[in-house]
Amino acid sequence: MSAHALSTASPTPRARADARPSARDSRLYEVMDLMLDSVGDPLALGSLAASASYSSYHFDRIFRELTGFSAVEYQRKRRLRRAAHLLRHEPDVPVGRIAQDCGFPSNAAFSKAFRQQFAMSAKEWRDGGWRAYMDAQVGRESDVSFFVAEPSNVAALQAPYCPPEPGSVAARVTVRSLPAVRLRYQRFFGQSGATLSLACNAFICERERAGLARGAPWYGVFDEDPGFTGEREYCYDFGFRAEAPGDDPTLGLRLLPAGTYACLDFHGEWPRFRAMYEDWLEHQSLWRLDATRPHIQQVERDGDGGWRGWLALPVKKR
């Protein structure tokens, strides 16, 4: 995925959901995108700092202020989450190859870092330990679908996850080829669950009151496996097609890649990505998740003011 062009971003973890970010934060979000795009490459702090127009010293200091992590630690966590993702979804790829592809200089360095992060070995993780980690570590956040909660239905987000009747979600999943979409978006960093959903709803309502993007579908985008990412590290982009009426050049601009996606349509309900993983993806002999593309949700209001849309998992053939 190419680096995302970002001119303004969304609030820092300490800011209000409706606060505009500073130009400084926007430059750092651009750097975060570059780090995601080059997760397997050596981390050159000097180059990252220069891309944000800072010295290495000041860059690391303000990066820590924004994220709570140094740039080195932030990238290490992203590499480990990518490795955890691949271990779960690419069972035939050797652990050593995954370690190399995720930027670790040796198997020993990877093994040590992985155990420190996840409290188990990569083999234990691949053999099913990831599920216990997901439920214990991120808990209520692990099954979030990036839906846009109205203030009146927050209870739906906070309700414990209830697995669907076996096969009921899988029967509704269709594999489709989706076109590329140019997206104007606001970034929400360090928010998840009900807080994130309400912030997205506020973003929609603010623009609808201003007569902007009225009637357009809305898109939520998450670039990593949501089940392995804690609240402090959530990085979520939410917006609308750049060509929609009321296009806003002050927002970020990114391209959602075209490709093959497993899609679940919904209307008057809020299905969860977790159900798609567990009822469809984990039983697939033909398809597996593609870690190079994001999870996408599209939502729009129906004629009665309710919500309809689809969830899309990026997939590739085994």
Side-chain angles (χ1 to χ4, degrees):
M1 187 186 309
S2 61
H4 315 146
L6 185 62
S7 55
T8 64
S10 73
T12 71
R14 299 170 301 281
R16 301 187 318 275
D18 59 349
R20 287 283 183 174
S22 67
R24 184 197 74 171
D25 291 348
S26 298
R27 294 200 300 273
L28 290 181
Y29 285 139
E30 289 181 351
V31 171
M32 291 165 65
D33 292 335
L34 290 172
M35 294 166 77
L36 177 64
D37 293 336
S38 57
V39 72
D41 300 331
L43 179 63
L45 275 178
S47 297
L48 292 175
S51 70
S53 302
Y54 288 108
S55 69
S56 295
Y57 171 79
H58 285 96
F59 169 75
D60 201 56
R61 178 178 59 82
I62 62 176
F63 193 94
R64 189 186 296 272
E65 289 177 0
L66 175 67
T67 68
F69 307 99
S70 69
V72 170
E73 177 67 4
Y74 182 83
Q75 186 69 335
R76 186 185 72 87
K77 286 178 174 291
R78 264 198 155 158
R79 287 173 172 168
L80 289 167
R81 288 198 300 273
R82 174 66 65 84
H85 179 101
L86 294 173
L87 287 165
R88 175 183 178 183
H89 297 291
E90 304 274 3
D92 53 336
V93 178
V95 173
R97 173 64 183 276
I98 289 175
Q100 181 180 8
D101 290 348
C102 293
F104 288 89
S106 68
N107 289 351
F110 172 70
S111 295
K112 180 179 179 180
F114 194 91
R115 188 176 289 277
Q116 287 177 338
Q117 177 72 18
F118 298 109
M120 68 184 78
S121 69
K123 182 181 185 305
E124 290 169 328
W125 179 274
R126 173 171 270 175
D127 289 343
W130 62 265
R131 191 181 301 274
Y133 176 88
M134 182 178 72
D135 289 338
Q137 178 70 11
V138 294
R140 65 185 182 280
E141 312 299 349
S142 67
D143 54 29
V144 68
S145 294
F146 314 113
F147 48 85
V148 186
E150 303 282 2
S152 60
N153 70 1
V154 174
L157 280 84
Q158 298 173 332
Y161 176 67
C162 181
E165 191 70 24
S168 60
V169 168
R172 297 167 52 192
V173 172
T174 58
V175 177
R176 304 200 287 256
S177 179
L178 298 183
V181 174
R182 292 178 67 245
L183 189 71
R184 287 289 186 191
Y185 70 95
Q186 183 165 343
R187 172 153 297 175
F188 297 91
F189 180 73
Q191 299 181 63
S192 62
T195 301
L196 174 61
S197 294
L198 290 172
C200 292
N201 180 264
F203 178 77
I204 289 177
C205 292
E206 175 188 359
R207 305 196 72 76
E208 287 181 340
R209 285 193 297 268
L212 301 174
R214 187 177 298 277
W218 303 87
Y219 293 82
V221 188
F222 192 81
D223 288 294
E224 298 182 282
D225 189 320
F228 304 152
T229 307
E231 181 175 18
R232 290 177 62 201
E233 297 153 57
Y234 256 66
C235 188
Y236 181 65
D237 296 337
F238 187 79
F240 51 89
R241 285 178 179 266
E243 298 82 5
D247 186 15
D248 185 351
T250 68
L251 294 173
L253 179 65
R254 67 176 291 178
L255 183 69
L256 300 186
T260 304
Y261 292 81
C263 300
L264 177 65
D265 296 315
F266 62 86
H267 189 190
E269 59 173 325
W270 293 113
R272 311 206 179 202
F273 274 116
R274 180 170 179 174
M276 294 182 70
Y277 273 73
E278 297 181 357
D279 197 54
W280 182 80
L281 186 64
E282 292 176 8
H283 303 283
Q284 276 297 302
S285 58
L286 179 61
W287 301 101
R288 66 176 54 174
L289 202 68
D290 184 350
T292 65
R293 290 179 286 132
H295 295 66
I296 304 173
Q297 180 200 32
Q298 185 198 86
V299 293
E300 60 184 333
R301 295 191 190 274
D302 62 22
D304 298 322
W307 294 101
R308 63 188 175 194
W310 42 257
L311 304 180
L313 289 177
V315 294
K316 60 184 179 181
K317 288 189 176 180
R318 289 186 176 273

